[in-house]
């Protein structure tokens, strides 16, 4: 059973049903029924036209459901006009599915779940495991999202920026359960890049590739975090880095800078440095200045403070940090790092311990705790 083929065909089959007049929720249910039939029958009797087979079976499931629903009598004229079985039209409406699944009326978590289900072809169980929630909870979330977008006209122009936000959320979930969401986000972003000519789509794809290239070096064998400066750069995926840089350069050449391109430029400068000590921090600060101009994000300004501390010294970094709200996530950890760089080790140790209590996850908390212990155990 070719799972990759099934997942690649799912969006196209869904859009065929919607184009024929099925509402999104009913069409998605019918496609899922067809996928179940494919899993059962294809290993023994694979079809010559997989997409056509799925379209035919899904459309019949939709018709069966429509006929059984007496409250939808208005559809009777349409359901009698079942197209004859045959090759499915080679029309790619995947981009419209992205826009529908990233509809602004949906919460971010619902938009992510619906995108993974409808565009990514993942099962509800896989999505639930990836997000570490019960399958019933995820099923309810997806059902609510489907109901929300069922009445949305399919020909409305979509917002690329919203779609990119959803894909970025998927990527940042990383890996959990049996689904690698970072790899899935890259796959979906490649698919989007093939459907729409937009420099920020290319920027996001480049950013994902450049970050994902460092994945193998981010954790030690015991699962502990390895900071960027201490990572074994020989474990970085040079092919992904080269592809990411190539995509980024082509996007930047179009002179339509966006935040994902700017973030990718920062990642590219880190990837380009043979060692941590050779990192071009001055240029990274310049890119963070561009990012701050584009987003006015306090998180960007926090990262900029770190870069300033590397480029101009820890005192300059602490001055940049002082201008920010100290309740920002990871503010205390950044302050600890900059104080350590400046030689104030007692303050750094205290701040590392304080930051550990505020850490958002266990791995980061353990890392910050070890940093505090390292400084507290130094010879006096």
């Amino acid at each position: 059973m070719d799972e990759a083929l099934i997942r690649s065909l799912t969006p196209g089959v869904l859009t065929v049903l919607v184009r024929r007049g099925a509402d999104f929720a009913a069409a998605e249910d019918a496609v899922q029924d067809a996928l179940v039939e494919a899993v059962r029958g294809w290993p023994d009797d694979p079809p010559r036209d997989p997409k056509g087979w799925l379209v035919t079976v899904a459309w019949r499931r939709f018709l069966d459901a429509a006929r059984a629903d007496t409250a939808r009598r208005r559809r009777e004229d349409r359901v009698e006009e079942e197209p004859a079985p045959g090759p499915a039209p080679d029309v790619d409406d995947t981009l419209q599915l992205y826009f529908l699944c990233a509809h602004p009326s949906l919460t971010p978590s619902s938009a992510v779940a619906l995108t993974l289900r409808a565009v990514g072809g993942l099962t509800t169980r896989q999505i639930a495991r990836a997000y570490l929630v019960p399958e019933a909870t995820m099923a309810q979330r997806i059902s609510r999202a489907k109901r929300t977008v069922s009445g949305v006209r399919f020909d409305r122009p979509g917002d690329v920026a919203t779609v990119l936000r959803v894909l970025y959320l998927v990527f940042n979930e990383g890996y959990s359960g049996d689904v690698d969401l970072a790899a899935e986000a890259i796959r979906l972003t490649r698919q989007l890049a093939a459907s729409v000519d937009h420099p920020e789509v290319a920027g996001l794809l480049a950013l994902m590739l450049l970050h994902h290239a460092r994945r193998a070096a981010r954790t030690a064998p015991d699962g502990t975090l390895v900071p960027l400066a201490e990572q074994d750069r020989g474990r970085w995926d040079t092919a992904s880095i080269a592809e990411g840089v190539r995509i980024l350069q082509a996007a930047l050449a179009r002179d339509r800078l966006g935040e994902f391109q700017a973030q990718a430029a920062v990642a590219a400068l880190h990837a380009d440095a043979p060692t941590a000590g050779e990192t071009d921090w001055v240029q990274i600060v310049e890119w963070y200045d561009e990012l701050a101009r584009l987003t006015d994000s306090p998180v960007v300004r926090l990262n900029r403070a770190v870069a300033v501390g590397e480029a101009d010294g820890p005192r300059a970094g602490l001055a940049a940090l002082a201008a920010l709200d100290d309740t920002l996530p990871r503010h205390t950890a950044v302050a600890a790092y900059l104080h350590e760089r400046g030689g104030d080790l007692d303050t750094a140790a205290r701040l590392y311990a304080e930051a550990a209590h505020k850490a958002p996850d266990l791995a980061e908390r353990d890392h910050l705790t070890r940093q505090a212990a390292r400084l507290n155990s130094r010879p006096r």
Side-chain angles (χ1 to χ4, degrees):
M1 191 66 188
D2 190 340
E3 183 180 344
L5 173 63
I6 287 283
R7 287 165 61 183
S8 68
L9 293 176
T10 298
V13 176
L14 180 55
T15 52
V16 168
L17 268 64
V18 173
R19 238 186 297 114
R20 289 181 178 179
D23 69 78
F24 181 85
E28 210 274 338
D29 287 340
V31 170
Q32 292 298 320
D33 287 343
L35 294 177
V36 171
E37 291 298 314
V39 170
R40 290 173 179 167
W42 283 16
D44 298 325
D45 185 21
R48 285 180 293 181
D49 178 13
K51 182 177 179 181
W53 188 97
L54 286 171
V55 167
T56 298
V57 173
W59 183 247
R60 287 174 178 166
R61 293 293 182 274
F62 165 70
L63 296 182
D64 290 343
R67 290 190 180 103
D69 190 349
T70 56
R72 296 178 182 178
R73 298 283 184 186
R74 291 175 296 176
R75 295 184 180 177
E76 288 183 352
D77 290 340
R78 183 172 70 246
V79 300
E80 294 299 327
E81 299 173 358
E82 178 180 353
D90 189 16
V91 178
D92 187 1
D93 289 329
T94 302
L95 182 58
Q96 290 174 300
L97 275 187
Y98 277 102
F99 292 139
L100 196 63
C101 294
H103 194 267
S105 62
L106 295 173
T107 64
S109 61
S110 294
V112 167
L114 194 58
T115 299
L116 289 172
R117 169 76 176 254
V119 185
L122 299 181
T123 66
T124 303
R125 177 174 297 179
Q126 287 175 315
I127 301 169
R129 286 178 178 173
Y131 282 90
L132 304 177
V133 299
E135 185 176 351
T137 300
M138 184 57 68
Q140 291 175 351
R141 185 180 300 174
I142 292 172
S143 294
R144 286 195 299 267
K146 286 162 59 177
R147 287 195 297 271
T148 299
V149 301
S150 284
V152 176
R153 289 180 59 83
F154 206 63
D155 56 356
R156 289 180 182 176
D159 180 8
V160 172
T162 303
V163 175
L164 294 180
R165 290 285 173 211
V166 169
L167 290 173
Y168 194 44
L169 285 172
V170 175
F171 180 80
N172 284 334
E173 289 298 329
Y175 176 83
S176 58
D178 59 352
V179 179
D180 185 340
L181 289 180
E184 181 65 15
I186 292 172
R187 184 183 75 85
L188 293 176
T189 306
R190 285 191 191 279
Q191 195 177 58
L192 181 62
S195 303
V196 61
D197 183 21
H198 194 293
E200 272 293 81
V201 177
L204 179 59
L205 179 56
L207 176 64
M208 289 178 175
L209 289 168
L210 289 164
H211 278 316
H212 204 53
R214 302 200 300 262
R215 175 172 169 171
R218 284 199 187 104
T219 54
D222 62 358
T224 57
L225 290 179
V226 180
L228 177 61
E230 300 172 18
Q231 288 176 13
D232 178 0
R233 300 186 177 217
R235 299 183 66 195
W236 289 1
D237 183 348
T238 55
S240 291
I241 290 173
E243 183 185 6
V245 169
R246 184 173 65 252
I247 292 171
L248 173 63
Q249 289 174 337
L252 291 175
R254 300 177 64 175
D255 198 25
R256 289 170 54 194
L257 183 65
E259 62 174 294
F260 289 120
Q261 296 170 72
Q263 286 189 57
V266 171
L269 286 167
H270 283 298
D272 188 53
T275 66
E278 296 173 85
T279 304
D280 189 345
W281 287 106
V282 172
Q283 196 172 167
I284 288 176
V285 171
E286 292 174 357
W287 277 112
Y288 274 127
D289 288 338
E290 290 287 350
L291 261 174
R293 179 182 61 81
L294 289 166
T295 67
D296 195 29
S297 164
V299 175
V300 168
R301 296 187 186 280
L302 185 68
N303 291 332
R304 179 186 178 277
V306 176
V308 169
E310 298 289 354
D312 301 327
R315 184 174 297 179
L318 286 168
L321 187 66
L324 303 178
D325 184 348
D326 62 7
T327 63
L328 274 173
R330 298 187 173 89
H331 184 285
T332 307
V334 170
Y337 174 74
L338 291 172
H339 276 289
E340 182 181 0
R341 286 284 316 280
D344 186 353
L345 304 187
D346 289 336
T347 299
R350 176 178 57 79
L351 290 173
Y352 275 130
E354 183 181 330
H357 289 292
K358 302 176 182 178
D361 58 62
L362 181 61
E364 188 170 336
R365 184 172 73 220
D366 288 347
H367 170 72
L368 292 168
T369 300
R370 284 194 300 274
Q371 297 297 88
R374 173 177 56 82
L375 294 181
N376 285 326
S377 64
R378 73 189 188 279
R380 298 288 180 170

